[in-house]
Amino acid sequence: MKRFLAFLLCTMLLLCSCSKDPYEDLIIDMDTLMYDIIATQEFRDPMMVISSDNEEYKELFDDIIGTDYIRALMAFPEVGISADMIIIVEATDTTHSGRLDLMTQYMLDRQEAYKGYAPEEAERFDDVRFSTYGKYIITLLVPDIKTA
C-alpha cells in the first residue's frame, strides 16, 4: 500500500511539473476586453479609462503594480464616489506574486480611504476579484461580477 501511494504521489508530481500553463501563450486585446467588461455592467456613474501608454498616468500604474509590466489599463468612475474599478495588466512574465501583493495593498488602501466618506462603498472591496491568465492580471470591482 505504501509503495502504491508513493508511486501515485510521484506520478502526480511528475504530471504537475510537466503540465504547461494553458494561458502561457495567450494574447488579449486589452482595450476590447476593457470596453466589453464595461458594456456588461450597469455602473451608476460613467466610467473613465486610462492607460499606462499615457505618461501622465505611468507613475500611478507603477505605484499600483510595480514597474515590471508591458501595459496596463484602469477604468473608474469619472464622477461620483462609486468604488467601481477594473484593472487589466499585461505583465512581462507569468510570475505575479509581487504584482498581486501590490495590487492587493492598493485595494486595501482604497478601502480604508472609502471608510471615511462612503462606508457602503468600502464594504464592496471585500468582493474584489483578481484573476490571472498567462501574463495578464485582471482585477474587478464591478456591480455584477458574474457577468463581467
Side-chain angles (χ1 to χ4, degrees):
M1 184 65 171
K2 287 182 184 179
R3 284 186 181 172
F4 175 73
L5 289 175
F7 172 75
L8 185 61
L9 180 61
C10 288
T11 303
M12 288 173 42
L13 289 172
L14 181 62
L15 288 173
C16 290
S17 66
C18 294
S19 64
K20 181 181 173 186
D21 178 356
Y23 300 111
E24 184 176 346
D25 300 321
L26 180 68
I27 297 174
I28 293 176
D29 180 337
M30 294 170 52
D31 296 283
T32 299
L33 177 60
M34 176 64 80
Y35 288 102
D36 284 351
I37 294 171
I38 291 171
T40 67
Q41 299 297 307
E42 293 185 22
F43 295 108
R44 281 189 304 201
D45 304 306
M47 298 294 279
M48 173 180 175
V49 177
I50 61 172
S51 170
S52 63
D53 296 338
N54 185 331
E55 281 299 316
E56 184 179 341
Y57 301 116
K58 185 97 171 85
E59 188 175 330
L60 171 66
F61 283 106
D62 291 353
D63 289 345
I64 296 171
I65 55 179
T67 57
D68 194 21
Y69 64 94
I70 296 169
R71 185 166 185 249
L73 299 173
M74 180 173 16
F76 53 88
E78 290 180 22
V79 295
I81 60 170
S82 169
D84 296 321
M85 183 180 302
I86 303 165
I87 303 173
I88 303 173
V89 178
E90 180 181 4
T92 55
D93 57 43
T94 59
T95 308
H96 298 303
S97 61
R99 288 180 206 98
L100 288 171
D101 290 345
L102 287 170
M103 293 174 81
T104 299
Q105 188 58 52
Y106 176 75
M107 290 299 191
L108 290 171
D109 292 346
R110 285 187 51 86
Q111 181 180 36
E112 200 58 37
Y114 268 88
K115 286 180 181 177
Y117 63 90
E120 66 285 350
E121 289 296 306
E123 291 175 13
R124 293 186 55 221
F125 281 89
D126 295 335
D127 298 326
V128 169
R129 296 292 182 260
F130 298 95
S131 302
T132 61
Y133 301 94
K135 61 183 182 175
Y136 297 92
I137 303 170
I138 301 170
T139 305
L140 301 171
L141 179 55
V142 295
D144 186 0
I145 194 70
K146 293 175 185 171
T147 62

